[in-house]
Amino acid sequence: MTFAAQILTLYPEMFPGPLGHSIAGRALAEGRWSLEAIQIRDFATDKHRSVDDTPAGGGAGMVLRADVLASAVDHALERSPNAPVIAMTPRGAPLTQGRVRQLADGPGVTILCGRFEGFDERLFEARPIEEISIGDYVLSGGETGALVMLDACVRLLPDVMGASSSGDEESFENGLLEYPHYTRPQIWEGRAIPEVLRSGDHARIRAWRDSQAAEITRLRRPDLWERHGGTPDQSPSGARRKR
Ligand code: SAH
């Protein structure tokens, strides 16, 4: 079964955009996933095809209409009844690698992209919609968020990236950030690759990478480190990664 992505947007021409290139683009061409960008405006009913209106109670900007969005969502649900419908919004649950992995294991995803001030709240009461944020900052529209989420999903699909995405070594896969990488030249601007990586001693290399991953996570992301089971004050040198 192919992972089917549907995007509800006022800017369907933004897709596949960057996902038409490199790994995701190759996988799309090979039919490992599919993408349908659906124009929200096609579900407008008045003669001006309006999708937004002024905010009730006053204030700046425009709000996307619940009736038009619901018709677009219903259309998407008819085509892909089992795919979760996800609205891109800064107030949503922060996107995580765990959620990405669940999505990639499923039938696909329908993504609703906001614009202007966002969505009429009643949409979320009337339809089964999950709200997701890609981070604590404000974008001008949900399309770039949708691209981010899809990119993260597509690289996990079977046979898209081969071995490199299946391991648990990458950042977030085991609750830690990744250890540092090096490649040739051996010496660059007077800096040598760490000796342990040239030792050929796989157990030592494993231990070094584990301790580096722990140390980097502890220093840069105390929140992740704590969730992982470390405490911010504890020396990570003895901390072995859960395998
Ligand atoms: N008034 C809203 C921001 C609207 S930004 C607020 O203050 O919360 C316009 C659209 O961009 C949103 O509807 C949403 O679809 C998208 N967007 C903005 N920031 C986002 C983020 N961090 N994650 C996901 N989508 C975002």
Side-chain angles (χ1 to χ4, degrees):
M1 193 183 54
T2 308
F3 181 90
Q6 298 187 99
I7 316 291
L8 305 175
T9 171
L10 291 170
Y11 298 96
E13 60 280 7
M14 288 189 180
F15 297 88
L19 300 183
H21 300 270
S22 187
I23 288 164
R26 207 173 314 127
L28 187 59
E30 288 168 358
R32 300 189 193 284
W33 66 294
S34 69
L35 176 68
E36 183 88 28
I38 297 167
Q39 172 58 269
I40 292 170
R41 201 172 292 283
D42 290 347
F43 299 88
T45 49
D46 64 348
K47 69 173 192 290
H48 302 294
R49 298 178 81 216
S50 58
V51 295
D52 57 335
D53 210 328
T54 53
M62 299 293 275
V63 177
L64 288 165
R65 289 170 53 147
D67 56 346
V68 178
L69 293 175
S71 299
V73 166
D74 291 344
H75 170 81
L77 278 171
E78 249 165 59
R79 293 168 39 110
S80 215
N82 298 318
V85 180
I86 294 177
M88 286 288 129
T89 161
R91 64 174 215 186
L95 184 62
T96 61
Q97 186 68 14
R99 187 68 187 110
V100 164
R101 197 166 270 289
Q102 288 170 350
L103 290 171
D105 284 341
V109 63
T110 295
I111 308 175
L112 178 57
C113 302
R115 281 273 153 185
F116 321 123
E117 290 308 314
F119 314 97
D120 184 314
E121 185 67 20
R122 292 170 294 179
L123 178 70
F124 300 112
E125 299 160 12
R127 294 294 182 278
I129 297 174
E130 178 181 347
E131 297 177 59
I132 284 188
S133 163
I134 65 154
D136 291 344
Y137 38 79
V138 180
L139 307 169
S140 57
E143 287 78 9
T144 41
L147 290 168
V148 165
M149 194 167 79
L150 276 181
D151 184 347
C153 289
V154 167
R155 62 188 288 285
L156 296 180
L157 298 177
D159 302 321
V160 168
M161 285 212 7
S164 56
S165 71
S166 56
D168 67 349
E169 308 229 328
E170 280 185 308
S171 290
F172 309 115
E173 286 292 355
N174 57 9
L176 295 177
L177 302 176
E178 201 187 39
Y179 51 80
H181 295 289
Y182 298 86
T183 187
R184 280 181 282 271
Q186 294 278 6
I187 298 191
W188 174 73
E189 294 194 349
R191 296 156 201 276
I193 292 175
E195 180 278 328
V196 56
L197 297 179
R198 291 174 282 135
S199 68
D201 180 341
H202 295 294
R204 256 184 81 212
I205 292 171
R206 172 85 272 145
W208 182 85
R209 286 179 168 167
D210 284 353
S211 72
Q212 288 287 314
E215 182 70 355
I216 287 169
T217 308
R218 185 180 70 89
L219 291 174
R220 299 187 183 191
R221 292 290 304 274
D223 56 323
L224 287 181
W225 179 242
E226 210 156 346
R227 235 179 294 155
H228 178 72
T231 61
D233 299 321
Q234 175 188 324
S235 160
S237 52
R240 291 289 309 190
R241 191 152 48 168
K242 288 183 215 131
R243 303 228 112 229

